Amino acid sequence: MNIQNDMFAATQNTYLDRMRALSPAIAERAGHWDRERQYPWQNIQELAQSGLMGMTIPERFGGGGATFLQCAQVVEEAARACTLTARILVEGNMGAISAVMAFGTDAQREFAAPIVLAGDKPAICITEPTAGSAATEMTTTAHKKGDRWILNGCKHWITGGGVSKLHLIFARAVDEDGTELGIGGFLVHVDKKNGIDPKGFSVARIERTMGLCGMPEAELHFTDLEVADDMVLRTPSGFKRGFADLMNAYNSQRVGAGTISMGVAAGALEHAKRYLLERQQFGRPLAEFQGLQWMIADMEAAVHASRLMLFEAAGSAEWGNNRFPDMMMAARAKAFASEQSIKVVNDALQIFGARGYGNEEPIERMYRDVRMFTIGGGTAQILKTQVAGSVLNIKTPQKRGGYLPNA
Ligand SMILES: CC(C)(COP(=O)(O)OP(=O)(O)OC[C@H]1O[C@@H](n2cnc3c(N)ncnc32)[C@H](O)[C@@H]1OP(=O)(O)O)[C@@H](O)C(=O)NCCC(=O)NCCSC(=O)CCS(=O)O
Ligand SMILES: Cc1cc2nc3c(=O)[nH]c(=O)nc-3n(C[C@H](O)[C@H](O)[C@H](O)COP(=O)(O)OP(=O)(O)OC[C@H]3O[C@@H](n4cnc5c(N)ncnc54)[C@H](O)[C@@H]3O)c2cc1C
């Protein structure tokens, strides 16, 4: 892939033009959702009206057929203005919905597409209280019973829990005779306002978070929750390697999450540049102090390098062929971008002095928002372990004794 050419293609990305048209108003409202801890329904309506929710959904299902790279460019633009909105865009185009579009039956695609196109941010439900990084240790089960599956278990830190309609729930599939089949994806539709309130599905609590305060992070409980067999997402390798297939699709969301962090850093860098030229001390602009010039140079390099890696990872997908971003590229880009972005936003806050610490500028919100990205979506440590495995071409089992040869 020629990164330069593809990045240059941003000029032909009509989705980016649409996002740019919305950005100023979205930036203006970003502080409001944060202060009020409110989900940004108004923004969602505008995104949906502009065709940005579901832009990656294939045209035959009503979407825009945009590539992950085009989507990533839009996500960066959104994140510069409002982290919350950028997260909704990621989940409205990558992650769960992309898994449904790639692996689902036509009936599942026809069912899911209009929900997202109308503005839903699907929820991806992987993490459990005792299975965070060690996601394959999940204990939520789905027992087959005739033409249904009965789900029992608990997921926590589920982004959008309580507002999302479409849920992709990872669970251990168990056949009627008790045989463990592997980890599969189960689609559950919740829309209480319209009377769709599946029995056995409940939002048990909402976390009080440091940043992204308008986004609910929920604990979900499933108690004998029934899922029809035709709502099972049957991935190419079947249940046996279902986890690997689902995580393969999830690589798109990792690129998305990394891009949000980079976009927040790019936004903070813009604010810092403005302030360096504007603010005077010792009778001259801050921009004339070499200590700050070197900071801004490092910040610029960090954002630029992150963008190159992220867009390379996004561009490694072949959407028409259902090929998701490369696992190693996605992990490398997200681990790098998330760590660098925290540093860049922290440095931007430093450049603002006390003004950055207060809430007259958006920097303190951006600083709180950007912090999550070395955690959510696979921690930086876990992603680096995946990168190391790929660089060294070895398996990197994390369980005690995992490196020992089999008995
Ligand atoms: C994968 C891990 C859970 C480690 O667990 P294990 O050591 O038990 O599993 P592995 O042997 O490494 O993997 C099993 C199987 O799956 C394949 N795999 C794993 N990850 C990927 C991937 N990203 N892409 C493609 N394939 C993948 C792996 O190659 C194995 O296949 P083979 O059997 O070898 O053929 C752990 O590393 C991990 O990823 N933990 C993080 C969990 C995570 O990311 N959770 C995210 C939750 S959603 C979220 O946080 C949303 C926030 S957001 O803003 O987006
Ligand atoms: C804002 C936010 C949104 C989220 N959204 C979702 C969502 O929508 N859906 C969902 O399913 N999950 C979601 N998550 C959960 C997220 O995926 C997990 O938090 C993450 O996978 C880490 O799990 P954990 O928090 O249990 O940390 P743990 O796994 O307990 O890890 C704790 C610390 O130990 C380190 N560690 C653990 N194992 C290793 C190892 N083998 N080697 C080196 N270091 C290690 C970790 O890097 C981390 O620093 C979200 C989390 C956050 C913060």
Side-chain angles (χ1 to χ4, degrees):
M1 189 195 61
N2 183 330
I3 299 168
Q4 281 305 329
N5 281 349
D6 280 359
M7 282 176 63
F8 189 65
T11 54
Q12 289 134 37
N13 184 347
T14 57
Y15 297 99
L16 185 56
D17 295 338
R18 294 182 211 172
M19 188 64 231
R20 283 182 177 148
L22 298 179
S23 280
I26 283 181
E28 193 70 34
R29 294 192 290 261
H32 167 78
W33 313 119
D34 179 61
R35 277 190 303 279
E36 303 301 321
R37 292 191 166 257
Q38 268 179 26
Y39 196 64
W41 292 112
Q42 185 183 354
N43 293 1
I44 288 166
Q45 201 179 6
E46 292 174 3
L47 295 176
Q49 277 165 356
S50 299
L52 296 172
M53 293 299 285
M55 74 186 110
T56 60
I57 290 176
E59 281 159 336
R60 70 189 173 104
F61 298 108
T67 63
F68 285 129
L69 179 58
Q70 286 174 313
C71 180
Q73 289 164 341
V74 174
V75 168
E76 176 189 345
E77 174 68 23
R80 286 167 177 256
C82 172
T83 326
L84 187 58
T85 306
R87 285 199 76 205
I88 291 163
L89 272 174
V90 166
E91 295 208 67
N93 288 290
M94 296 163 151
I97 188 63
S98 67
V100 176
M101 289 303 136
F103 305 141
T105 59
D106 273 358
Q108 288 172 344
R109 292 165 170 153
E110 278 158 12
F111 160 76
I115 299 175
V116 172
L117 291 165
D120 184 50
K121 178 214 81 65
I124 189 151
C125 310
I126 305 175
T127 308
E128 300 181 0
T130 56
S133 297
T136 49
E137 291 179 3
M138 66 180 65
T139 58
T140 295
T141 51
H143 281 86
K144 182 108 200 304
K145 194 174 169 199
D147 63 353
R148 332 232 103 209
W149 295 79
I150 313 297
L151 267 64
N152 280 287
C154 163
K155 300 282 176 184
H156 76 165
W157 285 93
I158 303 308
T159 302
V163 294
S164 292
K165 292 179 180 166
L166 195 64
H167 296 73
L168 175 61
I169 303 174
F170 286 39
R172 284 186 183 287
V174 184
D175 213 343
E176 301 208 57
D177 62 3
T179 311
E180 290 246 0
L181 301 169
I183 291 174
F186 297 81
L187 293 170
V188 173
H189 186 203
V190 181
D191 186 357
K192 285 192 184 177
K193 273 192 200 144
N194 290 306
I196 304 167
D197 188 6
K199 195 164 164 273
F201 179 102
S202 61
V203 178
R205 73 185 216 114
I206 303 287
E207 307 289 341
R208 190 164 178 93
T209 56
M210 164 185 182
L212 280 147
C213 301
M215 179 65 83
E217 296 294 344
E219 181 171 309
L220 303 180
H221 289 184
F222 317 127
T223 313
D224 291 335
L225 169 67
E226 288 193 11
V227 178
D229 189 56
D230 61 10
M231 291 295 261
V232 177
L233 195 57
R234 297 192 191 281
T235 63
S237 328
F239 283 126
K240 207 166 168 53
R241 290 195 73 256
F243 179 78
D245 284 342
L246 291 166
M247 289 307 281
N248 184 29
Y250 185 71
N251 290 327
S252 63
Q253 189 156 323
R254 282 191 175 156
V255 173
T259 304
I260 303 172
S261 72
M262 179 271 286
V264 177
L269 175 60
E270 281 304 313
H271 287 294
K273 282 196 274 189
R274 180 217 345 134
Y275 196 67
L276 282 175
L277 295 165
E278 195 179 282
R279 169 82 170 160
Q280 303 239 346
Q281 284 294 281
F282 301 99
R284 52 187 184 140
L286 295 182
E288 290 185 7
F289 299 117
Q290 195 178 49
L292 301 181
Q293 291 169 357
W294 289 356
M295 261 167 90
I296 207 90
D298 285 345
M299 290 158 75
E300 165 64 25
V303 170
H304 189 65
S306 300
R307 185 184 294 112
L308 288 174
M309 274 193 223
L310 287 159
F311 286 6
E312 177 194 35
S316 69
E318 282 178 48
W319 202 200
N321 295 324
N322 281 349
R323 222 186 85 187
F324 285 96
D326 176 77
M327 170 170 105
M328 140 72 158
M329 285 186 190
R332 180 174 63 190
K334 182 181 176 269
F336 182 82
S338 58
E339 288 189 338
Q340 291 298 317
S341 301
I342 291 172
K343 185 172 176 338
V344 168
V345 181
N346 187 37
D347 286 349
L349 194 151
Q350 186 67 22
I351 283 171
F352 274 93
R355 195 176 167 84
Y357 191 69
N359 71 359
E360 272 181 69
E361 295 286 341
I363 301 294
E364 68 83 28
R365 170 173 46 78
M366 294 168 119
Y367 178 74
R368 288 184 283 108
D369 283 355
V370 82
R371 187 61 191 86
M372 69 154 279
F373 293 100
T374 55
I375 305 171
T379 67
Q381 290 72 34
I382 289 295
L383 299 183
K384 286 179 192 180
T385 302
Q386 286 194 335
V387 173
S390 173
V391 170
L392 300 169
N393 196 22
I394 58 169
K395 290 256 179 201
T396 53
Q398 300 297 299
K399 281 189 188 146
R400 193 170 282 166
Y403 282 102
L404 297 175
N406 289 330

PDB file of all heavy atoms in Angstrom, residues 37-60:
ATOM      1  N   ARG A  37     -22.866  14.860  31.793  1.00  0.00           N
ATOM      2  CA  ARG A  37     -22.791  13.387  31.705  1.00  0.00           C
ATOM      3  C   ARG A  37     -23.958  12.855  30.863  1.00  0.00           C
ATOM      4  O   ARG A  37     -24.681  11.945  31.267  1.00  0.00           O
ATOM      5  CB  ARG A  37     -22.765  12.748  33.099  1.00  0.00           C
ATOM      6  CG  ARG A  37     -21.486  13.061  33.851  1.00  0.00           C
ATOM      7  CD  ARG A  37     -21.279  12.273  35.114  1.00  0.00           C
ATOM      8  NE  ARG A  37     -19.886  12.435  35.539  1.00  0.00           N
ATOM      9  CZ  ARG A  37     -18.921  11.537  35.383  1.00  0.00           C
ATOM     10  NH1 ARG A  37     -19.181  10.370  34.838  1.00  0.00           N
ATOM     11  NH2 ARG A  37     -17.684  11.793  35.764  1.00  0.00           N
ATOM     12  N   GLN A  38     -24.129  13.481  29.702  1.00  0.00           N
ATOM     13  CA  GLN A  38     -25.266  13.117  28.832  1.00  0.00           C
ATOM     14  C   GLN A  38     -24.799  12.498  27.530  1.00  0.00           C
ATOM     15  O   GLN A  38     -23.794  12.960  26.945  1.00  0.00           O
ATOM     16  CB  GLN A  38     -26.053  14.378  28.492  1.00  0.00           C
ATOM     17  CG  GLN A  38     -27.179  14.664  29.443  1.00  0.00           C
ATOM     18  CD  GLN A  38     -27.892  15.951  29.052  1.00  0.00           C
ATOM     19  OE1 GLN A  38     -27.889  16.361  27.899  1.00  0.00           O
ATOM     20  NE2 GLN A  38     -28.484  16.589  30.040  1.00  0.00           N
ATOM     21  N   TYR A  39     -25.535  11.516  27.070  1.00  0.00           N
ATOM     22  CA  TYR A  39     -25.265  10.898  25.759  1.00  0.00           C
ATOM     23  C   TYR A  39     -25.652  11.918  24.678  1.00  0.00           C
ATOM     24  O   TYR A  39     -26.710  12.545  24.780  1.00  0.00           O
ATOM     25  CB  TYR A  39     -26.104   9.622  25.641  1.00  0.00           C
ATOM     26  CG  TYR A  39     -25.669   8.689  24.549  1.00  0.00           C
ATOM     27  CD1 TYR A  39     -24.415   8.087  24.583  1.00  0.00           C
ATOM     28  CD2 TYR A  39     -26.508   8.379  23.484  1.00  0.00           C
ATOM     29  CE1 TYR A  39     -24.008   7.214  23.588  1.00  0.00           C
ATOM     30  CE2 TYR A  39     -26.115   7.500  22.480  1.00  0.00           C
ATOM     31  CZ  TYR A  39     -24.869   6.921  22.540  1.00  0.00           C
ATOM     32  OH  TYR A  39     -24.472   6.049  21.544  1.00  0.00           O
ATOM     33  N   PRO A  40     -24.823  12.095  23.638  1.00  0.00           N
ATOM     34  CA  PRO A  40     -25.044  13.208  22.691  1.00  0.00           C
ATOM     35  C   PRO A  40     -26.043  12.899  21.583  1.00  0.00           C
ATOM     36  O   PRO A  40     -25.688  12.835  20.404  1.00  0.00           O
ATOM     37  CB  PRO A  40     -23.634  13.419  22.125  1.00  0.00           C
ATOM     38  CG  PRO A  40     -23.052  12.056  22.101  1.00  0.00           C
ATOM     39  CD  PRO A  40     -23.617  11.323  23.293  1.00  0.00           C
ATOM     40  N   TRP A  41     -27.305  12.752  21.949  1.00  0.00           N
ATOM     41  CA  TRP A  41     -28.326  12.349  20.958  1.00  0.00           C
ATOM     42  C   TRP A  41     -28.379  13.316  19.782  1.00  0.00           C
ATOM     43  O   TRP A  41     -28.597  12.917  18.646  1.00  0.00           O
ATOM     44  CB  TRP A  41     -29.704  12.242  21.626  1.00  0.00           C
ATOM     45  CG  TRP A  41     -29.799  11.108  22.607  1.00  0.00           C
ATOM     46  CD1 TRP A  41     -29.926  11.195  23.964  1.00  0.00           C
ATOM     47  CD2 TRP A  41     -29.756   9.695  22.319  1.00  0.00           C
ATOM     48  NE1 TRP A  41     -29.966   9.937  24.541  1.00  0.00           N
ATOM     49  CE2 TRP A  41     -29.868   9.002  23.550  1.00  0.00           C
ATOM     50  CE3 TRP A  41     -29.631   8.959  21.136  1.00  0.00           C
ATOM     51  CZ2 TRP A  41     -29.857   7.606  23.636  1.00  0.00           C
ATOM     52  CZ3 TRP A  41     -29.631   7.562  21.227  1.00  0.00           C
ATOM     53  CH2 TRP A  41     -29.737   6.908  22.456  1.00  0.00           C
ATOM     54  N   GLN A  42     -28.199  14.624  20.091  1.00  0.00           N
ATOM     55  CA  GLN A  42     -28.268  15.620  19.004  1.00  0.00           C
ATOM     56  C   GLN A  42     -27.175  15.358  17.952  1.00  0.00           C
ATOM     57  O   GLN A  42     -27.432  15.398  16.746  1.00  0.00           O
ATOM     58  CB  GLN A  42     -28.095  17.027  19.605  1.00  0.00           C
ATOM     59  CG  GLN A  42     -28.274  18.136  18.592  1.00  0.00           C
ATOM     60  CD  GLN A  42     -28.034  19.512  19.211  1.00  0.00           C
ATOM     61  OE1 GLN A  42     -27.846  19.642  20.423  1.00  0.00           O
ATOM     62  NE2 GLN A  42     -28.032  20.525  18.373  1.00  0.00           N
ATOM     63  N   ASN A  43     -25.962  15.059  18.433  1.00  0.00           N
ATOM     64  CA  ASN A  43     -24.865  14.776  17.495  1.00  0.00           C
ATOM     65  C   ASN A  43     -25.177  13.541  16.650  1.00  0.00           C
ATOM     66  O   ASN A  43     -24.891  13.495  15.446  1.00  0.00           O
ATOM     67  CB  ASN A  43     -23.554  14.506  18.248  1.00  0.00           C
ATOM     68  CG  ASN A  43     -23.038  15.744  18.960  1.00  0.00           C
ATOM     69  OD1 ASN A  43     -23.659  16.794  18.905  1.00  0.00           O
ATOM     70  ND2 ASN A  43     -21.919  15.617  19.639  1.00  0.00           N
ATOM     71  N   ILE A  44     -25.758  12.549  17.322  1.00  0.00           N
ATOM     72  CA  ILE A  44     -26.034  11.286  16.622  1.00  0.00           C
ATOM     73  C   ILE A  44     -27.018  11.511  15.480  1.00  0.00           C
ATOM     74  O   ILE A  44     -26.848  10.997  14.379  1.00  0.00           O
ATOM     75  CB  ILE A  44     -26.563  10.246  17.619  1.00  0.00           C
ATOM     76  CG1 ILE A  44     -25.398   9.813  18.515  1.00  0.00           C
ATOM     77  CG2 ILE A  44     -27.181   9.046  16.911  1.00  0.00           C
ATOM     78  CD1 ILE A  44     -25.792   9.077  19.726  1.00  0.00           C
ATOM     79  N   GLN A  45     -27.996  12.333  15.766  1.00  0.00           N
ATOM     80  CA  GLN A  45     -28.981  12.645  14.714  1.00  0.00           C
ATOM     81  C   GLN A  45     -28.276  13.282  13.507  1.00  0.00           C
ATOM     82  O   GLN A  45     -28.529  12.927  12.364  1.00  0.00           O
ATOM     83  CB  GLN A  45     -30.001  13.609  15.301  1.00  0.00           C
ATOM     84  CG  GLN A  45     -31.286  13.624  14.552  1.00  0.00           C
ATOM     85  CD  GLN A  45     -32.274  14.596  15.204  1.00  0.00           C
ATOM     86  OE1 GLN A  45     -31.956  15.322  16.144  1.00  0.00           O
ATOM     87  NE2 GLN A  45     -33.473  14.595  14.685  1.00  0.00           N
ATOM     88  N   GLU A  46     -27.358  14.191  13.795  1.00  0.00           N
ATOM     89  CA  GLU A  46     -26.638  14.862  12.701  1.00  0.00           C
ATOM     90  C   GLU A  46     -25.725  13.889  11.947  1.00  0.00           C
ATOM     91  O   GLU A  46     -25.633  13.934  10.716  1.00  0.00           O
ATOM     92  CB  GLU A  46     -25.807  16.030  13.255  1.00  0.00           C
ATOM     93  CG  GLU A  46     -26.684  17.164  13.764  1.00  0.00           C
ATOM     94  CD  GLU A  46     -25.910  18.283  14.464  1.00  0.00           C
ATOM     95  OE1 GLU A  46     -24.663  18.226  14.521  1.00  0.00           O
ATOM     96  OE2 GLU A  46     -26.568  19.205  14.961  1.00  0.00           O
ATOM     97  N   LEU A  47     -25.062  13.001  12.706  1.00  0.00           N
ATOM     98  CA  LEU A  47     -24.179  12.011  12.058  1.00  0.00           C
ATOM     99  C   LEU A  47     -24.999  11.100  11.157  1.00  0.00           C
ATOM    100  O   LEU A  47     -24.600  10.793  10.026  1.00  0.00           O
ATOM    101  CB  LEU A  47     -23.449  11.154  13.106  1.00  0.00           C
ATOM    102  CG  LEU A  47     -22.456  11.839  14.044  1.00  0.00           C
ATOM    103  CD1 LEU A  47     -21.929  10.843  15.072  1.00  0.00           C
ATOM    104  CD2 LEU A  47     -21.295  12.462  13.283  1.00  0.00           C
ATOM    105  N   ALA A  48     -26.153  10.659  11.678  1.00  0.00           N
ATOM    106  CA  ALA A  48     -26.998   9.739  10.903  1.00  0.00           C
ATOM    107  C   ALA A  48     -27.531  10.442   9.647  1.00  0.00           C
ATOM    108  O   ALA A  48     -27.502   9.888   8.540  1.00  0.00           O
ATOM    109  CB  ALA A  48     -28.136   9.208  11.765  1.00  0.00           C
ATOM    110  N   GLN A  49     -27.963  11.693   9.826  1.00  0.00           N
ATOM    111  CA  GLN A  49     -28.499  12.444   8.665  1.00  0.00           C
ATOM    112  C   GLN A  49     -27.426  12.658   7.597  1.00  0.00           C
ATOM    113  O   GLN A  49     -27.722  12.737   6.418  1.00  0.00           O
ATOM    114  CB  GLN A  49     -29.040  13.794   9.119  1.00  0.00           C
ATOM    115  CG  GLN A  49     -30.456  13.688   9.671  1.00  0.00           C
ATOM    116  CD  GLN A  49     -30.883  14.918  10.446  1.00  0.00           C
ATOM    117  OE1 GLN A  49     -30.097  15.842  10.655  1.00  0.00           O
ATOM    118  NE2 GLN A  49     -32.124  14.918  10.913  1.00  0.00           N
ATOM    119  N   SER A  50     -26.170  12.737   8.031  1.00  0.00           N
ATOM    120  CA  SER A  50     -25.073  12.957   7.076  1.00  0.00           C
ATOM    121  C   SER A  50     -24.515  11.650   6.526  1.00  0.00           C
ATOM    122  O   SER A  50     -23.495  11.653   5.831  1.00  0.00           O
ATOM    123  CB  SER A  50     -23.934  13.726   7.760  1.00  0.00           C
ATOM    124  OG  SER A  50     -24.399  14.971   8.199  1.00  0.00           O
ATOM    125  N   GLY A  51     -25.132  10.531   6.885  1.00  0.00           N
ATOM    126  CA  GLY A  51     -24.687   9.233   6.362  1.00  0.00           C
ATOM    127  C   GLY A  51     -23.387   8.757   6.972  1.00  0.00           C
ATOM    128  O   GLY A  51     -22.674   7.928   6.385  1.00  0.00           O
ATOM    129  N   LEU A  52     -23.056   9.257   8.179  1.00  0.00           N
ATOM    130  CA  LEU A  52     -21.784   8.861   8.798  1.00  0.00           C
ATOM    131  C   LEU A  52     -21.942   7.672   9.745  1.00  0.00           C
ATOM    132  O   LEU A  52     -20.966   6.986  10.034  1.00  0.00           O
ATOM    133  CB  LEU A  52     -21.159  10.058   9.525  1.00  0.00           C
ATOM    134  CG  LEU A  52     -20.777  11.216   8.586  1.00  0.00           C
ATOM    135  CD1 LEU A  52     -20.356  12.450   9.370  1.00  0.00           C
ATOM    136  CD2 LEU A  52     -19.667  10.800   7.630  1.00  0.00           C
ATOM    137  N   MET A  53     -23.163   7.427  10.234  1.00  0.00           N
ATOM    138  CA  MET A  53     -23.404   6.190  10.981  1.00  0.00           C
ATOM    139  C   MET A  53     -23.647   5.114   9.916  1.00  0.00           C
ATOM    140  O   MET A  53     -24.518   5.276   9.065  1.00  0.00           O
ATOM    141  CB  MET A  53     -24.624   6.322  11.899  1.00  0.00           C
ATOM    142  CG  MET A  53     -24.453   7.306  13.037  1.00  0.00           C
ATOM    143  SD  MET A  53     -23.109   6.908  14.178  1.00  0.00           S
ATOM    144  CE  MET A  53     -23.793   5.547  15.113  1.00  0.00           C
ATOM    145  N   GLY A  54     -22.845   4.072   9.964  1.00  0.00           N
ATOM    146  CA  GLY A  54     -22.998   3.003   8.959  1.00  0.00           C
ATOM    147  C   GLY A  54     -22.385   3.340   7.618  1.00  0.00           C
ATOM    148  O   GLY A  54     -22.743   2.733   6.612  1.00  0.00           O
ATOM    149  N   MET A  55     -21.423   4.277   7.605  1.00  0.00           N
ATOM    150  CA  MET A  55     -20.799   4.597   6.297  1.00  0.00           C
ATOM    151  C   MET A  55     -20.056   3.391   5.727  1.00  0.00           C
ATOM    152  O   MET A  55     -19.909   3.257   4.517  1.00  0.00           O
ATOM    153  CB  MET A  55     -19.881   5.825   6.391  1.00  0.00           C
ATOM    154  CG  MET A  55     -18.566   5.595   7.085  1.00  0.00           C
ATOM    155  SD  MET A  55     -17.601   7.103   7.312  1.00  0.00           S
ATOM    156  CE  MET A  55     -17.718   7.304   9.076  1.00  0.00           C
ATOM    157  N   THR A  56     -19.584   2.462   6.605  1.00  0.00           N
ATOM    158  CA  THR A  56     -18.849   1.283   6.109  1.00  0.00           C
ATOM    159  C   THR A  56     -19.782   0.119   5.755  1.00  0.00           C
ATOM    160  O   THR A  56     -19.324  -0.903   5.241  1.00  0.00           O
ATOM    161  CB  THR A  56     -17.846   0.764   7.169  1.00  0.00           C
ATOM    162  OG1 THR A  56     -18.575   0.391   8.343  1.00  0.00           O
ATOM    163  CG2 THR A  56     -16.787   1.791   7.517  1.00  0.00           C
ATOM    164  N   ILE A  57     -21.066   0.265   6.068  1.00  0.00           N
ATOM    165  CA  ILE A  57     -22.012  -0.807   5.704  1.00  0.00           C
ATOM    166  C   ILE A  57     -22.103  -0.861   4.177  1.00  0.00           C
ATOM    167  O   ILE A  57     -22.198   0.177   3.523  1.00  0.00           O
ATOM    168  CB  ILE A  57     -23.400  -0.540   6.345  1.00  0.00           C
ATOM    169  CG1 ILE A  57     -23.310  -0.729   7.871  1.00  0.00           C
ATOM    170  CG2 ILE A  57     -24.490  -1.423   5.748  1.00  0.00           C
ATOM    171  CD1 ILE A  57     -24.588  -0.415   8.630  1.00  0.00           C
ATOM    172  N   PRO A  58     -22.033  -2.076   3.595  1.00  0.00           N
ATOM    173  CA  PRO A  58     -22.100  -2.169   2.131  1.00  0.00           C
ATOM    174  C   PRO A  58     -23.354  -1.485   1.570  1.00  0.00           C
ATOM    175  O   PRO A  58     -24.415  -1.487   2.212  1.00  0.00           O
ATOM    176  CB  PRO A  58     -22.116  -3.676   1.863  1.00  0.00           C
ATOM    177  CG  PRO A  58     -21.487  -4.286   3.075  1.00  0.00           C
ATOM    178  CD  PRO A  58     -21.841  -3.392   4.224  1.00  0.00           C
ATOM    179  N   GLU A  59     -23.196  -0.947   0.365  1.00  0.00           N
ATOM    180  CA  GLU A  59     -24.303  -0.189  -0.245  1.00  0.00           C
ATOM    181  C   GLU A  59     -25.571  -1.029  -0.389  1.00  0.00           C
ATOM    182  O   GLU A  59     -26.680  -0.541  -0.229  1.00  0.00           O
ATOM    183  CB  GLU A  59     -23.861   0.372  -1.601  1.00  0.00           C
ATOM    184  CG  GLU A  59     -23.000   1.613  -1.422  1.00  0.00           C
ATOM    185  CD  GLU A  59     -22.127   1.939  -2.605  1.00  0.00           C
ATOM    186  OE1 GLU A  59     -21.807   1.013  -3.398  1.00  0.00           O
ATOM    187  OE2 GLU A  59     -21.739   3.118  -2.738  1.00  0.00           O
ATOM    188  N   ARG A  60     -25.382  -2.356  -0.651  1.00  0.00           N
ATOM    189  CA  ARG A  60     -26.597  -3.173  -0.873  1.00  0.00           C
ATOM    190  C   ARG A  60     -27.428  -3.326   0.398  1.00  0.00           C
ATOM    191  O   ARG A  60     -28.574  -3.752   0.354  1.00  0.00           O
ATOM    192  CB  ARG A  60     -26.268  -4.519  -1.517  1.00  0.00           C
ATOM    193  CG  ARG A  60     -25.548  -5.508  -0.641  1.00  0.00           C
ATOM    194  CD  ARG A  60     -25.098  -6.698  -1.498  1.00  0.00           C
ATOM    195  NE  ARG A  60     -24.266  -7.599  -0.743  1.00  0.00           N
ATOM    196  CZ  ARG A  60     -24.669  -8.763  -0.263  1.00  0.00           C
ATOM    197  NH1 ARG A  60     -25.902  -9.181  -0.466  1.00  0.00           N
ATOM    198  NH2 ARG A  60     -23.841  -9.530   0.404  1.00  0.00           N
TER     199      ARG A  60
END
